[in-house]
Amino acid sequence: MVAADVGAGTGYFSIRLARLVGPQGKIYATDIQPEMIESLRTNLRRENITNVVPVLATQDDPKLPEGEVDLILAETRW
């Protein structure tokens, strides 16, 4: 399974999703802030997670590969 965590921040859900899909799965973790992507990478190393792909997105484009994602987790804040 391939999933995406849009607005991943530091990777709280990305790490949990990565464990759920296992080593054969992949998680794309997107965020628009470079600092969040760096924190995500640090957390992935600390947790020894290798099946998460950090993606620096823009507000208009999540930069996900077209047609490859089975599930998208997107948190909205109002």
Side-chain angles (χ1 to χ4, degrees):
M1 174 176 255
V2 177
D5 183 5
V6 176
T10 60
Y12 179 85
F13 290 112
S14 300
I15 289 169
R16 282 144 184 83
L17 287 170
R19 290 181 178 138
L20 285 173
V21 301
Q24 300 304 317
K26 182 185 290 187
I27 307 300
Y28 290 100
T30 74
D31 206 282
I32 61 172
Q33 297 180 44
E35 300 84 7
M36 291 293 105
I37 295 294
E38 275 309 307
S39 292
L40 169 65
R41 287 189 172 135
T42 298
N43 292 337
L44 293 173
R45 282 190 298 273
R46 185 185 68 236
E47 297 291 328
N48 199 29
I49 301 288
T50 59
N51 60 339
V52 173
V53 178
V55 178
L56 182 59
T58 66
Q59 286 194 8
D60 298 328
D61 185 358
K63 307 281 185 179
L64 295 172
E66 193 170 322
E68 289 186 31
V69 178
D70 301 308
L71 172 88
I72 297 175
L73 173 65
E75 181 180 341
T76 58
R77 295 185 185 183
W78 300 93

